Amino acid sequence: MSALRRVALVPVALLAALSAAPAQAKVPPEPLADVLAAAKAICFDHLGDPAAQTAVVTAAPYEAEKVRSADDGTVTWNTDRFSIAILDDPEKKFCMVTAVVDPKTRIGEGIKLARPLLGEPMSADQEFVLWYSKSASGDLTMYGFLLEREGDQMLAAYAAGLN
């Protein structure tokens, strides 16, 4: 899958949320397993249900604060550990959990952690991994893992969506 096609599957506001995550201030890195656990609890377990995702985000243990609402329907929430972006659009539903991780984190670590939940990825490079499937009706279910360096910090995000 081309880089352009991959990026087209992830809404621009969610990629912007990746950059706006907790990395704006120096914060200690989170274990990558904790980022995946948060994504599972918030995004994966409530795939396609932004109301349920929002309920999880605002309850313990996350108790996130709403920091921004974008024109496309993306709402960004922050905790002291994670940034969460939830998109509620009639045609697509996406959710992403982002955190600062160890700067030595590599894409293979994210794949290895997610493999028991998601199986083998369909596409991967040094910054982006994609798992997806199409239903009989043509709906696309997508899970992603992204890594992005911001200065001397590394951001990691797990995402899930329906299109």
Side-chain angles (χ1 to χ4, degrees):
M1 176 179 284
S2 74
L4 183 61
R5 172 90 171 111
R6 287 186 324 223
V7 171
L9 292 173
V10 182
V12 175
L14 292 184
L15 292 176
L18 176 65
S19 297
Q24 291 182 1
K26 290 283 186 191
V27 296
E30 293 297 329
L32 190 55
D34 289 0
V35 182
L36 177 58
K40 181 182 180 314
I42 298 165
C43 301
F44 299 4
D45 289 351
H46 304 285
L47 186 63
D49 188 349
Q53 292 166 341
T54 298
V56 173
V57 162
T58 56
Y62 304 107
E63 298 174 340
E65 293 183 29
K66 185 176 179 178
V67 293
R68 165 176 59 233
S69 294
D71 291 341
D72 72 349
T74 303
V75 178
T76 305
W77 304 83
N78 280 348
T79 73
D80 59 341
R81 300 178 64 200
F82 306 111
S83 181
I84 302 102
I86 299 171
L87 171 64
D88 185 0
D89 177 90
E91 294 185 22
K92 51 189 170 275
K93 312 274 188 228
F94 283 92
C95 177
M96 181 166 67
V97 174
T98 306
V100 173
V101 295
D102 185 311
K104 295 182 216 116
T105 301
R106 298 293 173 256
I107 207 76
E109 296 168 62
I111 294 170
K112 183 178 177 180
L113 281 172
R115 190 174 284 131
L117 289 173
L118 304 174
E120 292 300 319
M122 304 299 187
S123 174
D125 62 26
Q126 296 305 306
E127 298 176 340
F128 187 83
V129 180
L130 183 64
W131 294 263
Y132 59 89
S133 63
K134 264 191 169 175
S135 70
S137 63
D139 292 334
L140 181 67
T141 301
M142 182 274 303
Y143 298 90
F145 172 64
L146 302 103
L147 278 178
E148 180 179 297
R149 185 164 299 282
E150 288 285 327
D152 62 349
Q153 293 186 318
M154 180 71 79
L155 298 177
Y158 280 98
L162 294 175
N163 198 7

